[in-house]
Amino acid sequence: MTKATPDVISRAGELRDILTEHNYQYYVLDDPRIPDAEYDRLFRELQDLEAKYPEIVTPDSPTRRVGAQGETTFEEVAHRIPMLSLDNAFSEEELRDFDRRVKDRLKTTDDIEYVCEPKLDGLAVSLHYEAGILTRAATRGDGYTGEDITANIRTIPSVPLKLRGDSVPDLVEVRGEVYMPLKGFESLNKRLADRGEKTFVNPRNAAAGSLRQKKPSVTARRPLEMCAYSVALEDESQLPATHWDGLQQVRNWGFRINPEMRLATGVEACLKAYDELMEKRASLPYEIDGIVFKVNSLALQQQLGFVSRAPRWAIAHKFPAQEELTVIEDVEFQVGRTGAITPVARLKPVFVGGVTVSNATLHNMDEIRRLDARIGDTVFVRRAGDVIPQVVKVVTERRPDNARVVELPETCPVCQSDIVQIEGEAVARCSGGLFCPAQRKEAIRHYASRKALDIEGLGDKWIDILVERELVRTVADLYLLKKSDLTGLERMGEKSAENLIKAIDRSRHPVLWKFVYALGIREVGEATAKALASHFGTLEAISEADEEALQSVPDVGPIVAGHIRSFFDQPHNQETIQALRDAGVQWQSEEITAEEKPLKGETWVLTGSLSGMTRDEAKARLEALGAKVAGSVSGKTSCVVAGEAAGSKLAKAEKLGVPVMDEKAFTGFLAAHNTQS
Ligand code: IVH
């Protein structure tokens, strides 16, 4: 094996420093200086060097976050300085009492300077650095003995493996909170739920579970962060005079400290800081459960000392809880505007996350099964920030004997159409898409949309009025509207009423595929509608086809076939289609459609080269629209498409006054006509 040259050793050292510095910029300063890709390249360069010359690896190398220490031991470790807890204040009064006690003890009437820090909702950890290198990380445990979790802590990118700067002490202990930011928590839970595994109730639980892993490689995949909030030195005389300055020191060593931290003098300023942080709470990317006030001067801290297990110089002013227990009194099913059936838990009202909550979504039947939630169960309800309340856990020990299992109803609670759940889909749906009042507005909006029947002017404003006034129940009612129905309506002018009636009238003769698309059958988009129309030719044939026949159409798989079948199986939908017919809507079968092609009777000429398609393709697409494509320009030519380097044909067209389209216009024209070759 070759030995590392001094150059290699120095390059590896340099890479470690660069990577450590970028880590600091990213995690501590929130100010990345290089793109992730560049970081990855440097990281790989170091990895390659270390793989080639294993003797140059150092324990603080950024490549050694996982695996360097084997499995996590969870060995008992004694804390050199006990890890105490904090007293709580639950009201303004209790905070004022605290401030008064501090002043009384210090025999002063002067305002006290406090550091105000968010109380992060995670787990306390203690980190030992010897000669600047992370040598031991431990949990709080009972405050006197904790567990060794060094191998897991090393995987957290915001924990420095080596302290930055030249003036690092021989021995220092940094304490702080390990927590899981909300985004990471949500994606972790989603990942777990998708695999049918148990999810975590809240970010704190998720952080605890992630630190409790035996394998650091598992912890490494969990999105954990660490924020430092205190420092202790063997030689205390080396510490700055205030807690605040101590934390700035810690930050320079490479730790993240909380960016919301600030100073406040006097209890009024503390109360203001409390209010402001509370305002901000919902928008923070991590969870906090209060604000901690700490006397800033270390000399005063020392004078105040401790009582039982908490310091006299600090207090946690708590925020309203984001989780509470309550009882599911009933489960009802709601129908969304697209027919999705959502189970909603009716809860015994409970004050949580700052509001009284009496409903919580249960999402779908899979979620109910996953939680094993039953009517009568006592559950954890969580409401964080502005997020809608969630049932996150059932307390099965408190389940009463008469608890009822939740069943999906067979028919829609709004329109009584069948509820169907297509295999492989989590969501159950009402199949009365055209008829169901819950889906009315959406059905009309879709029917009238530009890509469907393109009823100009029938926007949300009209739809709201027409549905709310019960002038329109289903799309068929649109065709029965008279101008006099519309002119009396407030906010709607005479002209707009007249235009609307005309636009509705113009939509009476759609081509088949547009009509199929306009029905709003689940998962039947334009392409599928076209494929169905050209395969079956008539609406009758589509509506009578069984699932197997439907699946012989390109793009139609079992799920889409299931949706189509259940749509046409609903008598209410059939009735609405019949009502459309009765109202004079006549869609064209495919053969007739061919006669209606927009370019029927026209002759087009292609010249020059197109960058976006071949000439054959352009020809096929024009032919699909009914045009004949000719090789030479004459006075009878309808249009010339001129690509790059178009020559004599273009000149001739211009001479004869034949319309010319460039490639951009042509592409737009094809898109507007939705052709497919
Ligand atoms: S100071 C002697 N500062 O709250 C003082 N604690 O109830 C020790 N915590 O176990 C703690 N954010 O896990 C302090 N900015 C902060 C904190 C904080 C969260 C947690 C910590 C501690 C618990 C105390």
Side-chain angles (χ1 to χ4, degrees), residues 82-88 116-125 140 175-178 204 228-230 243 258 261 289-292 294 306 309-311 313-314 316 318:
M83 291 183 82
L84 303 179
S85 62
L86 291 167
D87 272 343
N88 292 318
C116 319
E117 301 172 12
K119 188 167 187 297
L120 293 162
D121 207 1
L123 294 101
V125 290
R140 175 170 179 271
R175 290 179 178 176
E177 196 86 346
V178 169
R204 195 195 117 80
Y229 55 63
S230 82
H243 175 63
N258 195 285
M261 214 164 59
D289 59 348
I291 181 165
V292 186
K294 298 175 182 170
F306 296 82
R309 305 196 49 194
W313 43 262
K318 298 295 279 271

